[in-house]
Structure formats: C-alpha cells, structure tokens
Amino acid sequence: MASGSSEVEEEEQERVMLRDRPEWADVTPVPQDDGPCPVVPINYTEEFAEVMDYFRAVYLADERSPRALSLTAEAIHFNAGNYTVWHFRRLLLELLKVDLHEELEFIERIAAKNSKNYQIWHHRRRVAEKLGPDARNAELQFTKKVLSVDAKHYHAWSHRQWALQALGGWEDELDYCSELLEQDIFNNSAWNQRYFVITRSPFVGGLKAMRESEVLYTIKAIEAYPENESSWKYLRGLYKGETTSWVNDPQVSSICLKILSSKSNYLFALSTLLDLICHGYQPNQDFRDAIEALKIPDLDSQDLDIASMICSILEKIDPIRVNYWIWRKSRLPHVAQ
Amino acid sequence: MVNCRCLTKVVCGFDFAILLHFAFLAASFLLRLVVMVTVCNVSFMAMFTFKMGELVTDKHVKYILSVEKRKDDFESVVMEHLRMNGAYWGLTALDLMGKLDVVDVNEVVSWVMSCQHDSGGFGGNVGHDPHILYTLSAVQVLALFDKMDLIDADKVTNYIVGLQNEDGSFSGDMWGEVDTRFSYIAICCLSIIHRLDKINVEKAVKYIISCKNMDGGFGCTPGGESHAGQIFCCVGALALTGSLDLVNKDLLGWWLCERQVKSGGLNGRPEKLPDVCYSWWVLSSLIMIDRVHWISREKLIKFILDCQDKEKGGISDRPDDAVDVFHTYFGVAGLSLLEYPGLKPIDPAYALPVDVVNRIFFKK
C-alpha cells in the first residue's frame, strides 16, 4: 500500500472535505470532548476539526485499514505534533506491511514543513530501525538535507549520531564536519560532532591518536577567529583526562601568546592562559609583555602576579560576567593578600 | 536610666536635663533619618522598576485565560495534543502571579483525571495515548491545586518504572524514544509522589552522567551536544537524587554563564540567539549548582521584560516576536528565580512554586 503518492495528488488538487467523500460515508465522526468548560480550550479550523473527528472515529473503533492510514497522513499534515496519530500510524504500517522506503519519503515531505518536531524524528528512527543497514544512506542524506537548511538543528544531529552508531557510515563524517565548519566555523554542533567522531568512530584510532592532527586543525581555526568559543573548548577537550599534556603542550600556550600579541579578540586567549596557570603553567616574560602591551586602562597596579592581572582584565573586558572573574581571582592558588 | 547615669558620670559637668534634650534630638533625628531612607528606598525601587520596565501581571493573566477560542490560530491547533503541558505552563504562571484562584479547580482536576489511562500514564488530552511528558504535567497540575490525594501513586509509579531501560535511561512511552528529558521527568514525578525508590536510581544517575560532555554540559543522549534544556533536565535529575557532587559545578557554571549575550538574554548553546525560555533552563541550572551570581541579574530581567507584549499580554521568545503560553510561563518563572518583586518563589528543581513543594513534603 503506497503511503505517499495519493497524498501528493491530493495536495495539488483542491481538498475535498471528508464528509463529501463517498469512501467515508459509513463513518460517523467523533467530536473532540473538551468537557463542558474546557481548561485550555482550543480553536480549530473547520478542516482540521473534521479530520480529527474522523480520526477519532477510526482510532476508537481501532480500524486498521488503508483508508485509516491515509487519514493519519492527512491528520499529520495538519498537525505533525500529534503523537497519538503517529502512534496509530505505526500500528497501521506494521499491519498493512507498508513499504518503509516510501514511508521515509513521506516523513521527509512532512519534515520539510515542520522539522522542529520530536514526533517526526522519533517516527523516522522507528522506521529506519526496521529497515536496518539498508537505511544508512537514506538517513545520512536526510539529515544532511535538514542540516543544509539549519546546520545546528538539534534533532537532525541527534538522529545522525544514532544513525552512525546503529547503521554505520563513519568514514566520511570527519570530512563532513570540516565542510560544515568551513561554511561556519562558529557552528558548535559541528564541533561537537567532530568530537563525537574522534572519540567514538571505529575507524579512527581514538582521541589520543587523533590529537596531533586535531590540534593543528583547531589552532588554525582559533587563529582565524579567536573569539570562537567552540574552538577553544574543543582544543581543551582534545586533552581530556590528560591535563598535564595540555599544560605542557607548547602549541597551547603559544596560541594564547599569539592571540594576545595580536591585541584583538583575546578574551578566550586570556581565560585559557588563566586556566593553564591554575594548572601549574609558568608563563615567561613574553606573556607579561604581551599583556602589558594591551594597555588596559585603570588596571589595579597591585596585581603584580600575572594571574591576578588577567582576572582584573577579564573583569573589565567581560563585564557581564564580572562576578565570575572576581570569583576566579579569589580562587587563584597563590593570591597574595 | 542606668545608661543616663553612666553618661552623666562620664560626661561630668553636663546638666542632666541638657543631656536628655540632646538624647531626644538624636532620637527624633534618627527617626527622620529612618523615614527618609524608607522613602528613598521606595522611590529608588520605583525608579528602578521604571528604568527596568515593569511586569504587566494583569495583562499576562488575561492572556493566559484567553488562550482559548481563537479561530484559525495555527498555534492553538497544534497544541491540542499537548494541552496537559499547556495547562501546566498556564496554571503555574498564574500561581506565580498569585492568580490561581481565577481558575475553577474542579473543572481542571476532572479534566486532568480523564486523561489518565489504565496503565497509570496520562495523555496530553482526552483520548490521547499516555506519555511520560504529560504524566509529569498532570501530577504537577494536581500538586498546584493540592489534589495529590487523587493520585493513585502506585499506578503512576508502575507506569514510570516500566519505562526505565536496562542502561538506566528512560523512554517517553511504549515506543522507546530515549532522551535525558525523560530521566528528569521520571525522577521529578516519582519524587513528587514519594516513590523515587521504586526505580533503579543508581543506574538512572549513571546514564545521565554518561551524557556529560567535555565542556561540562549535558546532551540528550551520550555524545549529544550540550544544550541548556538538556542540562536543566540532567542537573535537575541529579539534584533530586542527591547526586550533584557528580557535576563539575565550576566548569558547568562557566558554560552556563557564557550563555548570557550582550542584550542580557540567554541562549541555549554557543553562537545561538537568546530566547526567554533559557531564562528558565539556564537560570534554574545555575541556581541548583549555586552559581547564579555569575550572570548579570539586572540585564536578564530587562531582557525578559522587553519580551512582554504590554498591550495584549503574554511573553515571547525575544523582543517583538509573537507571544505564547510556553514563553509566558518561562519568562514569569525566570523572573521569579531572579526574585522579581510581586512573584511567588519557584523551586528550580521541581519547577513548582516553593509553597507547593513545601506542601508536598511537609504536609502531614
């Protein structure tokens, strides 16, 4: 039973009310029971109300038929968030042995109009699960399509992560992340996916093995846009569980120095340097010179130690988070009172 | 009297009457000072409020009550199946504004109960399948009205326990969708009905921790991007199970306070737009980990107030957008967390007014 094509035709023609369709003549629609005084009563368009009245009739009668399947499609078109309709549709798909590849197409059509909807993604996963490895390319393609419209789409990323783990397709994922980051280096979702790949892909050697190349990649990204929160966080994440390696890696401290010396967008460079110092890093005179060269006005000259100075600067240049930086200063390991 | 005597001994040579006279002058001066300070405080508050804008409470109450007969309103149409959530948002917002009494308790309660299934779970509306989302909202609404005695706790517990998976995670319903949102919902709901011990708490916590990311935040599933909404759910669940020690509060606190953008609003992830609903997700998380002072309170209040529709009532996701009940609730709840005057305090973990939570746990 084709679940897709009949709906497409109907959309193109003018819609006929269910009460005017001969194939529905035997059904008495069941109106919404809002009770005598509805709590949060809803107003309906007439067409939507009718579709739901008929759906309620087949749902209560538990009619599992092709026309019921078509009806769920119409109900979903009106309101893709109605989880009861999706639920019933799944029961029908099962019983009527619908071609699930066509169902994937149906879902894609619905998603085109309202993709920020848990039910669509959940339904898609159920269908893809049933198809198994066969669905792999379809799922990666589908999520890619959605992400091409909204590259930070949370559901799409969540589904893609599931698809990779359940169905495979890891080989090209890192390249895909690079592609997205090239379009928007600030895309936190793409950075997160990158981390997902290097930590979980069976095709890479794990975090440690990937660290060298990933550090190079990330440093380049930081150099291009030092105000990018995601890249700095990613850099830190590359040393997960090995803080000493992070503190001692000259690439980390030198990128901080480089950004500081550029005197532009140095907030995260400063906060990273602060973190390094708190973990035992001892900055040389170059750092002090670079900070002094920033010429931050009205700095408390009492801050002789570099970490306190950094905190004072951060209080000034990131005033909305002044309390955080004050707290950081109070927690410095060697605050001279 | 004793003091006066001591004073006269010390301040020798002073006439006692003159001393009393000075004492009286000092007292009246002090009294005038107190009055002046009070007046100054009041006018400062007035100025403060004026500068920040004000919360048009009455308009919001009217708006919430009016979320009904609106023809051809797509938003109304799509909310039919989640009316239980809508009821929770609207009613909790009303309660925070001290206006829950404008609603008919019996009507609401009978409608809520009519949404319950034999399994113990509640649907989003009459005739809808049960789901963990609506089960929590139903229990919360009943708690608002102090109708906890209507809940068959064993039945609801059964439903929720049946949704816990082997790895400790929770599904939303029989179809198996897994998300840390459901972990929070399960734990919050069972905690309210005093049945938290019926699930495997250890495994539930373990699963939540498996969703912790290297930035200190939490996602929907292991490896999922840190997102303020998911963070609220995970932190809330950990708070309610006494497991906040497993959170790196300093790291997460920083991630959360980085959500505040120049306009004062909060976003849910790096480089995203601010949205009023994050005034709840981010804020309650910060409060639960005791780091709320790391954001600018004043700037956030101003942002939320700017999201009001001061003519028609209601609050939107960001200034000048269309309002809805969801954002109205989160805006009011956020302001309550920020101790905005005139609102009842709200519990950050249970997302219910504090007096309701107290009633749940201390009422005999």
Side-chain angles (χ1 to χ4, degrees):
Chain A
M1 157 89 200
S3 61
S5 51
S6 53
E7 285 101 58
V8 175
E9 281 170 39
E10 271 195 72
E11 274 178 89
E12 285 165 2
Q13 296 158 9
E14 188 157 319
R15 195 180 174 280
V16 177
M17 296 293 278
L18 285 151
R19 58 174 177 255
D20 298 327
R21 299 186 214 172
E23 66 267 29
W24 284 101
D26 63 305
V27 173
T28 310
V30 177
Q32 170 72 18
D33 177 15
D34 282 350
C37 303
V39 174
V40 185
I42 309 280
N43 235 330
Y44 305 107
T45 66
E46 201 196 342
E47 286 180 332
F48 174 71
E50 195 204 33
V51 167
M52 288 315 295
D53 291 349
Y54 276 83
F55 172 75
R56 232 166 268 116
V58 304
Y59 177 74
L60 290 169
D62 200 21
E63 179 187 317
R64 304 204 188 177
S65 65
R67 71 175 180 182
L69 184 69
S70 286
L71 191 58
T72 60
E74 285 192 73
I76 285 165
H77 274 289
F78 274 108
N79 182 4
N82 193 320
Y83 68 101
T84 301
V85 177
W86 284 108
H87 173 147
F88 195 62
R89 188 175 174 87
R90 278 192 284 278
L91 297 174
L92 293 167
L93 290 175
E94 180 88 42
L95 190 76
L96 300 175
K97 302 211 187 320
V98 173
D99 179 346
L100 292 179
H101 285 103
E102 291 200 29
E103 185 67 4
L104 289 182
E105 284 172 33
F106 168 71
I107 299 167
E108 191 163 334
R109 277 199 303 280
I110 301 293
K113 281 182 278 166
N114 35 27
S115 68
K116 293 254 168 96
N117 172 303
Y118 286 101
Q119 284 68 38
I120 292 173
W121 292 97
H122 177 48
H123 187 74
R124 178 102 193 176
R125 193 172 301 198
R126 289 284 82 80
V127 173
E129 254 173 6
K130 284 219 137 80
L131 283 168
D134 275 352
R136 179 174 107 174
N137 290 337
E139 295 324 282
L140 294 179
Q141 275 314 303
F142 176 60
T143 49
K144 202 171 196 172
K145 250 191 213 158
V146 175
L147 291 170
S148 69
V149 175
D150 176 3
K152 302 181 188 182
H153 197 293
Y154 200 81
H155 297 289
W157 280 115
S158 174
H159 187 77
R160 197 173 172 90
Q161 286 190 343
W162 166 80
L164 286 167
Q165 288 180 305
L167 311 170
W170 292 96
E171 300 90 324
D172 302 319
E173 195 64 5
L174 201 61
D175 286 339
Y176 178 57
C177 292
S178 301
E179 218 179 284
L180 289 174
L181 288 171
E182 217 169 303
Q183 290 163 25
D184 178 11
I185 197 76
F186 293 89
N187 185 342
N188 193 65
S189 307
W191 284 104
N192 182 74
Q193 187 73 348
R194 208 176 172 94
Y195 200 76
F196 183 78
V197 173
I198 65 171
T199 51
R200 291 167 197 259
S201 167
F203 291 91
V204 308
L207 185 56
K208 224 166 166 172
M210 295 293 290
R211 183 178 295 152
E212 205 181 312
S213 54
E214 287 301 297
V215 167
L216 285 171
Y217 179 87
T218 312
I219 300 258
K220 269 207 196 80
I222 290 173
E223 275 169 343
Y225 295 92
E227 69 275 34
N228 186 359
E229 187 185 339
S230 306
S231 52
W232 288 97
K233 287 234 158 70
Y234 187 79
L235 183 65
R236 180 72 185 90
L238 290 172
Y239 298 86
K240 186 180 176 189
E242 290 181 56
T243 308
T244 322
S245 306
W246 171 68
V247 174
N248 294 333
D249 190 338
Q251 294 176 98
V252 178
S253 44
S254 63
I255 187 62
C256 292
L257 181 59
K258 189 165 185 182
I259 304 301
L260 278 171
S261 308
S262 77
K263 298 185 195 166
S264 162
N265 292 311
Y266 48 80
L267 200 152
F268 291 120
L270 273 178
S271 68
T272 302
L273 181 58
L274 178 65
D275 289 341
L276 286 167
I277 295 170
C278 289
H279 282 97
Y281 180 74
Q282 289 176 335
N284 61 26
Q285 189 59 32
D286 291 340
F287 286 92
R288 187 169 273 280
D289 292 342
I291 288 168
E292 249 145 53
L294 296 175
K295 292 209 185 335
I296 309 287
D298 306 321
L299 260 195
D300 187 357
S301 55
Q302 294 283 46
D303 290 332
L304 296 173
D305 97 82
I306 192 171
S308 303
M309 207 163 27
I310 292 172
C311 290
S312 299
I313 296 172
L314 287 164
E315 283 172 43
K316 291 220 148 40
I317 65 172
D318 194 21
I320 209 167
R321 274 166 283 274
V322 63
N323 288 340
Y324 173 72
W325 300 116
I326 290 173
W327 174 80
R328 285 299 300 267
K329 192 190 251 186
S330 74
R331 295 281 296 220
L332 290 173
H334 45 275
V335 171
Q337 293 299 340
Chain B
M1 282 314 287
V2 173
N3 283 339
C4 285
R5 253 188 272 132
C6 294
L7 265 171
T8 43
K9 275 192 184 152
V10 168
V11 189
C12 52
F14 263 55
D15 187 58
F16 186 66
I18 296 172
L19 203 63
L20 268 179
H21 178 70
F22 278 121
F24 174 75
L25 275 177
S28 66
F29 172 74
L30 271 169
L31 180 65
R32 261 179 282 156
L33 190 63
V34 167
V35 170
M36 229 173 65
V37 168
T38 313
V39 168
C40 277
N41 267 335
V42 169
S43 53
F44 174 75
M45 276 299 292
M47 212 175 66
F48 182 72
T49 315
F50 176 74
K51 235 178 144 192
M52 304 203 90
E54 38 141 359
L55 181 68
V56 293
T57 311
D58 291 339
K59 294 260 162 78
H60 298 316
V61 170
K62 273 205 185 77
Y63 167 75
I64 291 171
L65 294 174
S66 82
V67 173
E68 39 187 321
K69 306 289 181 213
R70 259 190 270 132
K71 265 203 177 319
D72 298 326
D73 187 313
F74 183 68
E75 196 220 332
S76 309
V77 155
V78 302
M79 268 184 62
E80 184 261 329
H81 61 284
L82 52 78
R83 189 176 292 170
M84 193 62 74
N85 287 162
Y88 160 74
W89 296 325
L91 294 168
T92 311
L94 286 176
D95 197 11
L96 291 174
M97 294 186 283
K99 294 286 195 289
L100 191 60
D101 52 347
V102 303
V103 177
D104 187 313
V105 184
N106 294 323
E107 272 160 26
V108 178
V109 165
S110 71
W111 166 73
V112 168
M113 296 312 294
S114 71
C115 296
Q116 189 172 31
H117 289 251
D118 289 333
S119 61
F122 287 77
N125 203 342
V126 174
H128 277 272
D129 295 329
H131 195 287
I132 207 174
L133 288 167
Y134 311 114
T135 306
L136 173 63
S137 289
V139 167
Q140 285 171 316
V141 168
L142 292 171
L144 283 175
F145 289 114
D146 196 11
K147 296 285 179 187
M148 299 299 293
D149 48 326
L150 292 178
I151 299 172
D152 181 338
D154 291 331
K155 224 170 142 174
V156 175
T157 302
N158 236 28
Y159 176 72
I160 292 177
V161 167
L163 292 171
Q164 186 167 31
N165 301 307
E166 254 313 295
D167 61 0
S169 68
F170 283 85
S171 297
D173 62 10
M174 56 165 278
W175 294 97
E177 182 192 3
V178 170
D179 189 321
T180 46
R181 286 181 298 145
F182 306 142
S183 301
Y184 166 73
I185 287 167
I187 287 167
C188 182
C189 195
L190 290 176
S191 178
I192 290 173
I193 60 175
H194 312 289
R195 295 281 196 281
L196 192 51
D197 57 317
K198 298 297 182 203
I199 52 160
N200 188 327
V201 175
E202 202 187 313
K203 273 189 163 177
V205 168
K206 199 162 167 215
Y207 180 77
I208 291 167
I209 296 300
S210 77
C211 298
K212 190 163 54 160
N213 294 316
M214 51 88 173
D215 54 16
F218 295 82
C220 59
T221 44
E225 189 186 359
S226 295
H227 182 289
Q230 310 292 152
I231 289 171
F232 162 76
C233 292
C234 292
V235 172
L238 293 172
L240 295 176
T241 53
S243 320
L244 277 177
D245 55 304
L246 299 172
V247 174
N248 185 333
K249 294 180 185 164
D250 296 334
L251 184 61
L252 178 58
W254 187 45
W255 189 96
L256 288 166
C257 78
E258 281 285 331
R259 295 311 108 236
Q260 189 162 36
V261 298
K262 260 209 173 90
S263 66
L266 305 172
N267 61 25
R269 293 180 273 170
E271 296 295 322
K272 296 279 283 180
L273 293 175
D275 184 322
V276 149
C277 66
Y278 294 113
S279 310
W280 173 263
W281 310 121
V282 173
L283 207 51
S284 54
S285 301
L286 279 169
I287 289 177
M288 286 189 275
I289 60 169
D290 199 19
R291 302 286 187 270
V292 71
H293 48 292
W294 287 355
I295 58 157
S296 163
R297 179 179 171 271
E298 294 75 28
K299 293 196 96 177
L300 181 57
I301 289 176
K302 181 175 187 303
F303 177 81
I304 300 172
L305 294 174
D306 283 347
C307 293
Q308 299 178 95
D309 181 336
K310 290 201 168 167
E311 282 157 31
K312 304 199 203 105
I315 298 176
S316 60
D317 58 353
R318 56 190 74 91
D320 304 324
D321 275 356
V323 305
D324 58 52
V325 167
F326 175 86
H327 288 96
T328 303
Y329 162 67
F330 285 112
V332 170
L335 287 171
S336 167
L337 287 178
L338 293 164
E339 296 172 3
Y340 190 87
L343 296 174
K344 282 168 74 174
I346 188 169
D347 183 289
Y350 288 102
L352 284 167
V354 168
D355 60 349
V356 172
V357 176
N358 288 341
R359 199 167 58 204
I360 291 168
F361 289 101
F362 300 124
K363 183 182 179 185
K364 275 295 159 207

